[in-house]
């Protein structure tokens, strides 16, 4: 009988569990240590910390989803051991005490072992203690994840180092997505972890179950803070220096550039383009990186979207088909700088006054100077300056970004050639 089916040594209703949960919730380390080290018996006792088995409790208040028939028929029961609790909260003294009393370092009644918990919490000292007492560095959790795959924060770098020193497999593919530890580091923007894994022989272009390389995973990951942006950029630069293919496609034929554009990350897009990424690549749905960028218009920061589109066009991205421009105008109406950059990339695009219908009135009023200048072009021929810009850009082609700054021209003309928006069209 599995520990799931067997009654726990300390069920949720027990006095010890109530006191233990209260101490954990308040961060009372002394009480946690006292309970685990002096009251829990045996040393590998199974402790129940949570149970939402409402199917077995007729008086339970059912969640709305259950009443609607949408709730899962399974229930969650959180079973653990004293060693897992101590490791998860970084209680080194407790971990040492339990191990000295022959606690099993690989016990995992709830699906994760103590080593998994220590790595998730970034507790290096606990990780080293467990490994020194024989914990399996490649032990798989119930989800099929090894400890290295749970090193997901900057604080877990020491844990990853300890695991590798004790024989963890750096190229282990596991979990539902068949990720390697390098994929995990890439997805969480952990540049120092990635450097560690590459130094230990991780293959920079290894594929996971979705056909992604680590570079692809990094480019598709969400970043929220400037620090996360910077770490991700450093990580991608590291992968590219290590030989990562800038144009590696996943199972949907999406390149890292597609994914970076889908997040409107201009610095990352520029890095990929400078390493030879194809600005005109099409995924299985027929979308180009430019199309992926434009799809973010409603959620991306306007400046980031504008710089992303500008970078693509300055590296030779194919233009939006002229007949599709009204659709782009509708999608990007709230970001007139993007409309300006796109419009200026054409030698001649015939503006129709009927296009004004696709722009919400409140948006038009908010950006009236720009849109007034835009629709004035319906009756105005292209100016000579714009035609000269187009001729030079056509001559330089995909190398505009690199060659324009080398031209003996004033900076204002260089930025004009590189489609820097001015706020109005003329």
């Amino acid at each position: 009988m599995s520990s799931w089916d067997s009654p726990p040594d300390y069920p949720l209703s027990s006095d010890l569990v109530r006191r233990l949960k209260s101490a954990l919730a308040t961060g009372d380390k002394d009480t946690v240590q006292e309970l685990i080290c002096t009251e829990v018996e045996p040393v590998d006792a199974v402790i129940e910390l949570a149970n939402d088995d409402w199917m077995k409790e007729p008086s339970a208040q059912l969640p709305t989803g259950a009443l609607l028939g949408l709730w899962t028929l399974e229930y969650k029961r959180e079973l653990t051991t004293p060693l897992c609790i101590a490791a998860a909260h970084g209680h080194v003294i407790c971990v040492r005490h339990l191990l000295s009393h022959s606690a099993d370092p690989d016990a995992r009644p709830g699906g994760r072992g103590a080593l998994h918990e220590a790595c998730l919490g970034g507790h290096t000292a606990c990780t080293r203690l467990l490994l020194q007492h024989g914990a399996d560095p490649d032990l798989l959790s119930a989800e099929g994840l090894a400890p290295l795959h749970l090193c997901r924060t900057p604080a877990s770098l020491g844990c990853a180092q300890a695991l590798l020193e004790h024989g963890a497999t750096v190229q282990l593919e596991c979990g539902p997505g068949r990720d390697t530890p390098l994929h995990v580091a890439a997805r969480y923007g952990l540049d120092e972890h990635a450097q560690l894994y590459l130094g230990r022989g991780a293959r920079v272009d290894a594929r996971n179950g979705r056909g992604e390389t680590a570079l692809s995973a990094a480019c598709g990951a969400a970043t929220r803070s400037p620090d996360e942006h910077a770490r991700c950029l450093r990580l991608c630069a590291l992968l590219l220096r290590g030989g990562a293919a800038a144009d590696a496609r996943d199972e949907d034929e999406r390149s890292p550039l597609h994914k970076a554009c889908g997040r409107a990350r201009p610095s990352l897009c520029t890095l990929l383009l400078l390493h030879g990424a194809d600005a005109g690549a099409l995924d299985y749905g027929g979308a180009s990186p430019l199309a992926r960028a434009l799809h973010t218009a409603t959620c991306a920061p306007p400046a980031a979207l504008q710089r992303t589109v500008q970078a693509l066009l300055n590296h030779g991205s194919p233009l939006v088909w002229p007949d599709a421009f009204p659709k782009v105008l509708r999608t990007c109406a709230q970001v007139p700088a993007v409309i300006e950059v796109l419009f200026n990339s054409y030698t001649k695009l015939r503006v129709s006054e009927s296009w004004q219908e696709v722009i919400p009135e409140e948006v038009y009023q908010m950006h009236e100077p720009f849109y007034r200048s835009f629709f004035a072009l319906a009756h105005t021929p292209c100016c000579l300056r714009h035609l000269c810009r187009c001729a030079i850009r056509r001559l330089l082609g995909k190398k505009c970004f690199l060659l324009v700054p080398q031209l003996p021209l004033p900076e204002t003309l260089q930025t004009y050639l590189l489609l820097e928006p001015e706020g109005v069209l003329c």
Side-chain angles (χ1 to χ4, degrees):
M1 183 178 290
S2 69
S3 58
W4 174 274
D5 299 315
S6 303
D9 297 289
Y10 293 94
L12 190 65
S13 59
S14 66
D15 176 65
L16 182 137
V17 172
R18 281 197 293 269
R19 286 185 288 149
L20 181 60
K21 290 185 70 173
S22 175
L24 290 171
T26 58
D28 185 349
K29 288 190 175 184
D30 291 339
T31 300
V32 170
Q33 180 176 327
E34 181 182 352
L35 291 172
I36 287 178
C37 295
T38 64
E39 294 196 32
V40 175
E41 293 182 356
V43 72
D44 284 326
V46 176
I47 300 172
E48 182 180 34
L49 287 184
N51 187 340
D52 67 357
D53 183 10
W54 51 267
M55 294 172 66
K56 293 184 179 180
E57 179 51 65
S59 63
Q61 295 294 315
L62 300 187
T64 304
L67 300 175
L68 294 174
L70 301 176
W71 199 258
T72 175
L73 293 180
E74 297 181 355
Y75 63 90
K76 295 179 181 178
R77 189 180 190 186
E78 185 182 344
L79 301 177
T80 187
T81 65
L83 189 59
C84 287
I85 294 172
H89 292 84
H91 296 318
V92 181
I93 294 175
C94 290
V95 170
R96 184 178 290 111
H97 170 84
L98 294 166
L99 290 171
S100 70
H101 285 74
S102 303
D104 181 1
D106 290 338
R108 50 185 188 92
R112 288 202 299 255
L115 200 52
H116 297 114
E117 300 290 0
C119 290
L120 271 173
H123 303 303
T124 301
C126 291
T127 298
R128 289 194 177 278
L129 266 175
L130 291 162
L131 290 166
Q132 289 163 7
H133 283 77
D136 181 357
D138 284 337
L139 180 70
L140 298 184
S141 69
E143 297 173 311
L145 298 174
L148 270 180
H149 291 73
L150 298 177
C151 293
R152 298 172 176 173
T153 64
S156 67
L157 179 62
C159 300
Q161 290 171 327
L163 288 165
L164 291 170
E165 290 167 7
H166 284 79
T169 306
V170 75
Q171 204 55 44
L172 188 64
E173 299 176 5
C174 58
R178 306 303 300 170
D179 283 333
T180 68
L182 186 59
H183 283 96
V184 176
R187 189 164 288 114
Y188 288 90
L190 303 175
D191 55 316
E192 291 183 301
H193 288 64
Q195 188 168 14
L196 173 66
Y197 300 153
L198 291 171
R200 292 292 185 129
R203 296 197 304 273
V204 72
D205 272 340
R207 306 276 182 152
N208 64 12
R210 296 175 294 280
E212 295 175 307
T213 62
L215 180 63
S216 180
C219 291
T223 54
R224 291 167 291 278
S225 67
D227 182 57
E228 288 179 345
H229 283 296
R231 284 208 316 268
C232 182
L233 197 59
R234 289 197 302 269
L235 186 146
C236 291
L238 171 70
L239 294 172
L240 289 164
R241 287 197 305 271
D247 258 337
R249 307 294 189 91
D250 65 13
E251 63 183 4
D252 296 318
E253 281 295 305
R254 285 181 178 161
S255 67
L257 184 60
H258 277 99
K259 296 184 178 184
C261 289
R263 297 283 184 184
R265 296 162 69 180
S267 298
L268 182 52
C269 291
T270 299
L271 176 68
L272 293 167
L273 290 162
L274 289 173
H275 280 81
D278 183 2
L282 300 180
D283 63 18
Y284 269 142
S288 67
L290 179 59
R292 294 274 295 170
L294 295 176
H295 288 160
T296 71
T298 57
C299 56
L305 176 58
Q306 173 246 305
R307 291 197 303 272
T308 299
V309 170
Q310 199 172 346
L312 288 168
L313 293 170
N314 286 328
H315 283 86
S317 170
L319 306 181
V320 175
W321 184 249
D323 290 346
F325 201 85
K327 182 178 179 180
V328 174
L329 190 60
R330 181 186 301 110
T331 303
C332 302
Q334 296 184 66
V335 196
V338 169
I339 302 298
E340 181 180 352
V341 169
L342 286 169
F343 182 82
N344 284 334
S345 63
Y346 294 89
T347 302
K348 176 63 179 178
L349 180 65
R350 190 178 299 278
V351 177
S352 170
E353 290 179 322
S354 65
W355 292 355
Q356 189 169 338
E357 298 172 3
V358 306
I359 303 173
E361 181 62 27
E362 64 274 15
V363 173
Y364 185 95
Q365 295 297 331
M366 188 182 305
H367 305 288
E368 185 173 2
F370 171 78
Y371 282 115
R372 194 166 56 244
S373 72
F374 178 76
F375 288 110
L377 297 177
H379 309 290
T380 307
C382 290
C383 69
L384 181 59
R385 187 176 67 152
H386 174 68
L387 294 175
C388 289
R389 170 170 58 186
C390 292
I392 294 172
R393 288 179 58 83
R394 187 164 54 250
L395 181 65
L396 300 181
K398 296 181 180 181
K399 296 184 178 181
C400 276
F401 185 85
L402 294 172
L403 296 182
V404 167
Q406 299 178 32
L407 295 176
L409 295 172
E411 185 178 349
T412 53
L413 283 180
Q414 290 183 0
T415 57
Y416 180 78
L417 288 173
L418 291 173
L419 305 176
E420 191 67 25
E422 298 175 343
V424 293
L425 290 165
C426 57

